[in-house]
Amino acid sequence: MQSYTIGQAARLLGVSPDTARRWADAGRITTHRDENGRRLIDGRDLAAFSVQLARSGGEEGAAPYTSARNAFPGIVTAIKLGDVAAQVEIQAGPHRLVSLLTREAVEELGLEVGMEATARVKSTNVHIDRV
């Protein structure tokens, strides 16, 4: 399972590293330390927290999360696999994006809940890039 540093988590959540650090210090995000003493957040925990944060409206006064060139970097929060089709949800700051794609594409990308990914929006289609 992928883990994220406080800085990486902050970028994915659309907040400053100081805000993410305060949330970790307050126990809102569970962290563990690696062999170098850096605080890391498990990908599944970060995915669950990002959904909870988006549902609560985020932090007061937080800057809005914007995308450049229709790219929404975020974290995979849910994957529903069918026999042929699949649905992938990404939480990118306050934005929840859902993409319908083939099961084969999800498997080829190796997508899992808690993994970093970028949703690219073009017209009415959402394309997923593994980061």
Side-chain angles (χ1 to χ4, degrees):
M1 171 51 56
Q2 185 167 351
S3 293
Y4 297 90
T5 65
I6 294 287
Q8 290 170 322
R11 183 176 52 79
L12 292 170
L13 295 170
V15 298
S16 72
D18 286 336
T19 296
R21 214 172 277 110
R22 281 194 308 273
W23 287 341
D25 291 344
R28 289 184 65 188
I29 305 174
T30 303
T31 63
H32 63 278
R33 298 216 180 245
D34 68 4
E35 62 278 355
N36 296 320
R38 293 183 307 166
R39 285 198 297 187
L40 299 175
I41 302 167
D42 179 72
R44 288 191 183 271
D45 292 339
L46 184 59
F49 181 76
S50 70
V51 171
Q52 174 190 13
L53 184 65
R55 287 185 181 150
S56 69
E59 179 165 283
E60 283 185 38
Y65 190 82
T66 61
S67 73
R69 297 187 182 157
N70 301 324
F72 293 82
I75 188 165
V76 177
T77 57
I79 298 174
K80 296 176 187 168
L81 295 175
D83 291 337
V84 176
Q87 177 179 311
V88 176
E89 294 182 22
I90 292 180
Q91 193 70 46
H95 308 291
R96 176 180 164 263
L97 297 114
V98 179
S99 179
L100 300 175
L101 57 164
T102 64
R103 178 187 183 116
E104 182 180 11
V106 171
E107 291 170 349
E108 283 180 8
L109 288 169
L111 294 176
E112 296 179 9
V113 171
M115 177 179 281
E116 186 175 355
T118 300
R120 296 196 187 274
V121 180
K122 180 168 178 9
S123 186
T124 59
N125 297 314
V126 177
H127 302 268
I128 306 295
D129 295 339
R130 180 173 172 182
V131 179

